[in-house]
Amino acid sequence: MSRADEPLAESEQRKLSFFQTLRAVLWAMFGVRKGAGLRNDVAKLNPVHVILTGLLFGVVFVVSLVTLARFIVSNMAGQ
């Protein structure tokens, strides 16, 4: 049997799209993903998408904290 006839290895299967990766990361953050689904996602995750998702969440987190701090400080100054 030639290598061309063998099924693709898990690492060679189609990778998840960016939005599918985003969804997988969100589910993982909340801890509500089942074991089989998690293993399936991990096998298909694209490392570049995971890094971009991490950077995106980092920026959103920092902007949220800065916005919250400005809101609190502006309300405290008005009292």
Short mmCIF file of all heavy atoms in Angstrom, two decimals, residues 17-54:
data_model
loop_
_atom_site.label_atom_id
_atom_site.label_comp_id
_atom_site.label_asym_id
_atom_site.label_seq_id
_atom_site.Cartn_x
_atom_site.Cartn_y
_atom_site.Cartn_z
N SER A 17 -10.68 27.28 10.65
CA SER A 17 -10.61 28.67 10.21
C SER A 17 -10.38 29.56 11.43
O SER A 17 -10.43 29.11 12.57
CB SER A 17 -11.92 29.07 9.52
OG SER A 17 -12.96 29.18 10.48
N PHE A 18 -10.13 30.86 11.18
CA PHE A 18 -9.87 31.78 12.29
C PHE A 18 -11.07 31.85 13.22
O PHE A 18 -10.91 31.83 14.45
CB PHE A 18 -9.52 33.18 11.76
CG PHE A 18 -9.27 34.16 12.86
CD1 PHE A 18 -8.11 34.09 13.61
CD2 PHE A 18 -10.20 35.12 13.16
CE1 PHE A 18 -7.88 34.98 14.65
CE2 PHE A 18 -9.98 36.02 14.19
CZ PHE A 18 -8.82 35.95 14.93
N PHE A 19 -12.27 31.92 12.68
CA PHE A 19 -13.46 32.04 13.53
C PHE A 19 -13.74 30.74 14.29
O PHE A 19 -14.22 30.77 15.42
CB PHE A 19 -14.67 32.49 12.71
CG PHE A 19 -14.53 33.90 12.24
CD1 PHE A 19 -14.29 34.17 10.91
CD2 PHE A 19 -14.61 34.96 13.13
CE1 PHE A 19 -14.13 35.48 10.47
CE2 PHE A 19 -14.46 36.27 12.71
CZ PHE A 19 -14.23 36.52 11.37
N GLN A 20 -13.43 29.60 13.69
CA GLN A 20 -13.56 28.34 14.41
C GLN A 20 -12.54 28.26 15.54
O GLN A 20 -12.84 27.77 16.62
CB GLN A 20 -13.38 27.17 13.45
CG GLN A 20 -14.52 27.01 12.47
CD GLN A 20 -14.21 26.00 11.38
OE1 GLN A 20 -13.07 25.89 10.93
NE2 GLN A 20 -15.23 25.25 10.97
N THR A 21 -11.34 28.78 15.30
CA THR A 21 -10.32 28.84 16.34
C THR A 21 -10.76 29.77 17.45
O THR A 21 -10.63 29.46 18.64
CB THR A 21 -8.97 29.31 15.77
OG1 THR A 21 -8.56 28.39 14.75
CG2 THR A 21 -7.91 29.39 16.83
N LEU A 22 -11.33 30.91 17.08
CA LEU A 22 -11.84 31.87 18.06
C LEU A 22 -12.90 31.22 18.93
O LEU A 22 -12.89 31.35 20.16
CB LEU A 22 -12.40 33.09 17.32
CG LEU A 22 -12.84 34.28 18.14
CD1 LEU A 22 -11.67 34.91 18.85
CD2 LEU A 22 -13.49 35.31 17.22
N ARG A 23 -13.80 30.50 18.32
CA ARG A 23 -14.86 29.80 19.07
C ARG A 23 -14.27 28.75 20.00
O ARG A 23 -14.67 28.63 21.16
CB ARG A 23 -15.83 29.15 18.10
CG ARG A 23 -17.05 28.56 18.82
CD ARG A 23 -17.89 27.80 17.87
NE ARG A 23 -17.09 26.65 17.41
CZ ARG A 23 -17.54 25.64 16.76
NH1 ARG A 23 -18.79 25.60 16.39
NH2 ARG A 23 -16.78 24.64 16.42
N ALA A 24 -13.27 28.00 19.52
CA ALA A 24 -12.64 26.97 20.35
C ALA A 24 -11.94 27.59 21.56
O ALA A 24 -12.03 27.06 22.67
CB ALA A 24 -11.65 26.17 19.51
N VAL A 25 -11.29 28.73 21.34
CA VAL A 25 -10.61 29.41 22.45
C VAL A 25 -11.63 29.95 23.45
O VAL A 25 -11.44 29.84 24.66
CB VAL A 25 -9.69 30.54 21.92
CG1 VAL A 25 -9.17 31.40 23.05
CG2 VAL A 25 -8.54 29.94 21.14
N LEU A 26 -12.74 30.51 22.96
CA LEU A 26 -13.78 31.00 23.87
C LEU A 26 -14.36 29.87 24.71
O LEU A 26 -14.55 30.02 25.92
CB LEU A 26 -14.89 31.69 23.07
CG LEU A 26 -14.58 33.07 22.55
CD1 LEU A 26 -15.68 33.55 21.62
CD2 LEU A 26 -14.41 34.05 23.70
N TRP A 27 -14.66 28.74 24.08
CA TRP A 27 -15.18 27.61 24.83
C TRP A 27 -14.17 27.14 25.86
O TRP A 27 -14.53 26.78 26.98
CB TRP A 27 -15.56 26.46 23.90
CG TRP A 27 -16.85 26.66 23.17
CD1 TRP A 27 -17.00 26.63 21.81
CD2 TRP A 27 -18.15 26.90 23.71
NE1 TRP A 27 -18.32 26.86 21.48
CE2 TRP A 27 -19.05 27.02 22.65
CE3 TRP A 27 -18.64 27.03 25.00
CZ2 TRP A 27 -20.40 27.25 22.82
CZ3 TRP A 27 -20.00 27.28 25.18
CH2 TRP A 27 -20.86 27.38 24.10
N ALA A 28 -12.90 27.11 25.49
CA ALA A 28 -11.86 26.67 26.41
C ALA A 28 -11.73 27.64 27.59
O ALA A 28 -11.49 27.21 28.72
CB ALA A 28 -10.52 26.55 25.67
N MET A 29 -11.89 28.94 27.34
CA MET A 29 -11.81 29.92 28.41
C MET A 29 -12.91 29.68 29.45
O MET A 29 -12.67 29.84 30.65
CB MET A 29 -11.93 31.34 27.85
CG MET A 29 -10.68 31.84 27.20
SD MET A 29 -10.87 33.49 26.49
CE MET A 29 -11.57 34.42 27.83
N PHE A 30 -14.09 29.32 29.00
CA PHE A 30 -15.20 29.09 29.91
C PHE A 30 -15.20 27.67 30.47
O PHE A 30 -15.93 27.37 31.41
CB PHE A 30 -16.54 29.38 29.22
CG PHE A 30 -16.75 30.84 28.96
CD1 PHE A 30 -16.80 31.32 27.67
CD2 PHE A 30 -16.87 31.74 30.01
CE1 PHE A 30 -16.99 32.67 27.42
CE2 PHE A 30 -17.06 33.08 29.78
CZ PHE A 30 -17.11 33.55 28.48
N GLY A 31 -14.40 26.78 29.89
CA GLY A 31 -14.29 25.42 30.40
C GLY A 31 -15.52 24.57 30.16
O GLY A 31 -15.81 23.68 30.96
N VAL A 32 -16.24 24.83 29.08
CA VAL A 32 -17.47 24.09 28.83
C VAL A 32 -17.36 23.14 27.64
O VAL A 32 -18.35 22.61 27.17
CB VAL A 32 -18.67 25.05 28.60
CG1 VAL A 32 -18.97 25.80 29.87
CG2 VAL A 32 -18.40 26.00 27.46
N ARG A 33 -16.16 22.90 27.18
CA ARG A 33 -15.95 22.01 26.03
C ARG A 33 -15.79 20.58 26.51
O ARG A 33 -15.08 20.30 27.46
CB ARG A 33 -14.69 22.46 25.29
CG ARG A 33 -14.54 21.87 23.93
CD ARG A 33 -15.47 22.56 22.95
NE ARG A 33 -15.15 22.13 21.61
CZ ARG A 33 -16.04 21.63 20.79
NH1 ARG A 33 -17.29 21.56 21.14
NH2 ARG A 33 -15.69 21.25 19.59
N LYS A 34 -16.46 19.65 25.84
CA LYS A 34 -16.34 18.24 26.19
C LYS A 34 -14.98 17.71 25.74
O LYS A 34 -14.36 18.25 24.83
CB LYS A 34 -17.45 17.43 25.53
CG LYS A 34 -18.81 17.74 26.10
CD LYS A 34 -19.86 16.84 25.49
CE LYS A 34 -21.21 17.17 26.11
NZ LYS A 34 -22.26 16.34 25.55
N GLY A 35 -14.54 16.64 26.37
CA GLY A 35 -13.22 16.08 26.12
C GLY A 35 -12.97 15.72 24.66
O GLY A 35 -11.93 16.05 24.10
N ALA A 36 -13.91 15.04 24.04
CA ALA A 36 -13.72 14.61 22.65
C ALA A 36 -13.66 15.81 21.71
O ALA A 36 -12.83 15.87 20.80
CB ALA A 36 -14.85 13.68 22.23
N GLY A 37 -14.52 16.79 21.94
CA GLY A 37 -14.50 18.00 21.12
C GLY A 37 -13.23 18.80 21.31
O GLY A 37 -12.68 19.35 20.36
N LEU A 38 -12.75 18.85 22.54
CA LEU A 38 -11.50 19.56 22.83
C LEU A 38 -10.33 18.90 22.13
O LEU A 38 -9.51 19.59 21.50
CB LEU A 38 -11.27 19.60 24.34
CG LEU A 38 -9.97 20.23 24.80
CD1 LEU A 38 -9.95 21.71 24.43
CD2 LEU A 38 -9.79 20.06 26.29
N ARG A 39 -10.25 17.58 22.21
CA ARG A 39 -9.15 16.88 21.52
C ARG A 39 -9.22 17.09 20.02
O ARG A 39 -8.21 17.26 19.36
CB ARG A 39 -9.19 15.39 21.87
CG ARG A 39 -8.66 15.08 23.25
CD ARG A 39 -8.50 13.59 23.48
NE ARG A 39 -9.78 12.89 23.48
CZ ARG A 39 -10.59 12.81 24.53
NH1 ARG A 39 -10.27 13.38 25.65
NH2 ARG A 39 -11.73 12.14 24.45
N ASN A 40 -10.43 17.09 19.47
CA ASN A 40 -10.61 17.32 18.04
C ASN A 40 -10.14 18.72 17.66
O ASN A 40 -9.45 18.91 16.66
CB ASN A 40 -12.08 17.11 17.66
CG ASN A 40 -12.30 17.19 16.18
OD1 ASN A 40 -11.43 16.84 15.39
ND2 ASN A 40 -13.48 17.65 15.79
N ASP A 41 -10.53 19.72 18.47
CA ASP A 41 -10.12 21.10 18.21
C ASP A 41 -8.61 21.25 18.30
O ASP A 41 -7.99 21.88 17.45
CB ASP A 41 -10.78 22.06 19.20
CG ASP A 41 -12.26 22.28 18.91
OD1 ASP A 41 -12.70 21.93 17.80
OD2 ASP A 41 -12.95 22.80 19.80
N VAL A 42 -8.01 20.67 19.33
CA VAL A 42 -6.56 20.80 19.53
C VAL A 42 -5.80 20.19 18.36
O VAL A 42 -4.79 20.72 17.92
CB VAL A 42 -6.14 20.18 20.87
CG1 VAL A 42 -4.63 20.05 20.97
CG2 VAL A 42 -6.68 21.00 22.03
N ALA A 43 -6.30 19.09 17.84
CA ALA A 43 -5.63 18.43 16.72
C ALA A 43 -5.69 19.28 15.45
O ALA A 43 -4.82 19.18 14.60
CB ALA A 43 -6.27 17.07 16.45
N LYS A 44 -6.71 20.14 15.34
CA LYS A 44 -6.89 20.91 14.11
C LYS A 44 -6.56 22.39 14.25
O LYS A 44 -6.67 23.13 13.28
CB LYS A 44 -8.34 20.78 13.64
CG LYS A 44 -8.70 19.38 13.19
CD LYS A 44 -10.12 19.33 12.71
CE LYS A 44 -10.49 17.96 12.20
NZ LYS A 44 -11.85 17.93 11.68
N LEU A 45 -6.20 22.84 15.45
CA LEU A 45 -5.92 24.27 15.63
C LEU A 45 -4.72 24.71 14.81
O LEU A 45 -3.73 24.00 14.70
CB LEU A 45 -5.65 24.57 17.11
CG LEU A 45 -6.86 24.60 18.02
CD1 LEU A 45 -6.44 24.78 19.46
CD2 LEU A 45 -7.83 25.68 17.62
N ASN A 46 -4.85 25.88 14.25
CA ASN A 46 -3.75 26.50 13.52
C ASN A 46 -3.00 27.39 14.50
O ASN A 46 -3.58 28.31 15.07
CB ASN A 46 -4.32 27.33 12.36
CG ASN A 46 -3.26 27.91 11.48
OD1 ASN A 46 -2.12 28.08 11.87
ND2 ASN A 46 -3.64 28.23 10.26
N PRO A 47 -1.72 27.15 14.74
CA PRO A 47 -0.97 27.92 15.73
C PRO A 47 -0.98 29.43 15.47
O PRO A 47 -1.02 30.22 16.41
CB PRO A 47 0.45 27.38 15.64
CG PRO A 47 0.32 26.05 14.99
CD PRO A 47 -0.91 26.11 14.13
N VAL A 48 -0.97 29.83 14.22
CA VAL A 48 -1.00 31.26 13.89
C VAL A 48 -2.32 31.87 14.35
O VAL A 48 -2.35 32.96 14.93
CB VAL A 48 -0.79 31.48 12.37
CG1 VAL A 48 -0.97 32.94 12.00
CG2 VAL A 48 0.58 30.98 11.95
N HIS A 49 -3.41 31.15 14.15
CA HIS A 49 -4.71 31.65 14.59
C HIS A 49 -4.79 31.73 16.11
O HIS A 49 -5.40 32.66 16.65
CB HIS A 49 -5.84 30.76 14.06
CG HIS A 49 -6.01 30.84 12.58
ND1 HIS A 49 -6.75 29.92 11.88
CD2 HIS A 49 -5.55 31.72 11.66
CE1 HIS A 49 -6.74 30.23 10.59
NE2 HIS A 49 -6.01 31.33 10.44
N VAL A 50 -4.19 30.78 16.80
CA VAL A 50 -4.19 30.80 18.26
C VAL A 50 -3.42 32.02 18.76
O VAL A 50 -3.86 32.71 19.68
CB VAL A 50 -3.62 29.49 18.84
CG1 VAL A 50 -3.48 29.58 20.35
CG2 VAL A 50 -4.48 28.31 18.46
N ILE A 51 -2.28 32.32 18.15
CA ILE A 51 -1.49 33.49 18.54
C ILE A 51 -2.26 34.77 18.26
O ILE A 51 -2.32 35.67 19.12
CB ILE A 51 -0.13 33.48 17.80
CG1 ILE A 51 0.72 32.32 18.33
CG2 ILE A 51 0.59 34.82 17.97
CD1 ILE A 51 1.96 32.05 17.51
N LEU A 52 -2.88 34.87 17.09
CA LEU A 52 -3.68 36.06 16.77
C LEU A 52 -4.86 36.22 17.73
O LEU A 52 -5.17 37.33 18.15
CB LEU A 52 -4.17 36.00 15.32
CG LEU A 52 -3.11 36.16 14.24
CD1 LEU A 52 -3.72 35.94 12.86
CD2 LEU A 52 -2.46 37.52 14.33
N THR A 53 -5.48 35.11 18.09
CA THR A 53 -6.60 35.17 19.03
C THR A 53 -6.11 35.64 20.40
O THR A 53 -6.77 36.46 21.04
CB THR A 53 -7.27 33.78 19.15
OG1 THR A 53 -7.72 33.38 17.85
CG2 THR A 53 -8.42 33.80 20.11
N GLY A 54 -4.97 35.15 20.83
CA GLY A 54 -4.40 35.60 22.10
C GLY A 54 -4.09 37.08 22.10
O GLY A 54 -4.37 37.80 23.07
#
